[in-house]
Amino acid sequence: FVMRSAILFLVSASVLYILLRATGLWEADALINYAAKVSEDRAQSLEVRIDMEIPLVERAQDRPLLGWGRWERFRVRNDKGVNVSISDSLWIIYFGTRGVVGLAAVVMVVLLPPILLFTRIPARLWSHPAVSPAICLALIICLWMSDNLVNHMFFPSAVVAAGGLMGLDPTQGRPSRR
């Protein structure tokens, strides 16, 4: 139950954060205040990243469907053409360069496999030792995605793990009932 809840929470929080920040419906002050309780330095770093998301989202909304493409055209520039933006978050980079289509695609590639565990493996089997590796991979993938809300840390192993979860067939290895 705990692992199912953790995965569901991380998936929901990641998607909700992206939706609320991309639409400007949440300012994230509560997140910065919480980070300040842990470390003032980390809170300042987080505040800079979150503050930078606002102009980057506005820029991305000029080409929302497919984004600005490559060559850093999604970045915010001053009157002299100098880049004045900091893009540390995976989601804002994908939203700016690939638009809603690209952002939705990367989020689905990463988060759909953990979501499908809920439909492929019954709740009563989640504590079974044979299922534990898949559950751990799903949790790692969800943690990586939530870390990418404020960072861009490409982790190929997480993408490979997501692919492995997609190919998971819980009926494999069962004796046939002929």
Side-chain angles (χ1 to χ4, degrees), residues 134-151:
I135 304 305
C136 288
L137 280 177
L139 187 59
I140 289 168
I141 291 165
C142 291
L143 286 168
W144 174 67
M145 186 63 192
S146 59
D147 181 47
N148 277 318
L149 296 175
V150 292
N151 295 304

Side-chain angles (χ1 to χ4, degrees), residues 55-133:
L56 287 167
V57 164
E58 289 172 356
R59 175 86 171 144
Q61 288 172 344
D62 289 342
R63 291 195 176 179
L65 191 60
L66 297 174
W68 286 92
R70 300 183 329 180
W71 301 292
E72 298 189 352
R73 291 182 293 181
F74 77 100
R75 295 189 178 271
V76 177
R77 301 187 184 283
N78 65 13
D79 295 337
K80 297 179 183 178
V82 176
N83 175 24
V84 294
S85 59
I86 300 169
S87 54
D88 281 341
S89 308
L90 176 130
W91 80 269
I92 195 68
I93 293 170
Y94 273 85
F95 185 36
T97 59
R98 294 166 178 91
V100 172
V101 172
L103 177 59
V106 77
V107 169
M108 291 305 289
V109 162
V110 174
L111 294 180
L112 185 60
I115 292 168
L116 288 178
L117 280 181
F118 285 89
T119 60
R120 291 182 175 173
I121 301 174
R124 69 185 190 318
L125 296 178
W126 274 51
S127 60
H128 192 280
V131 176
S132 296

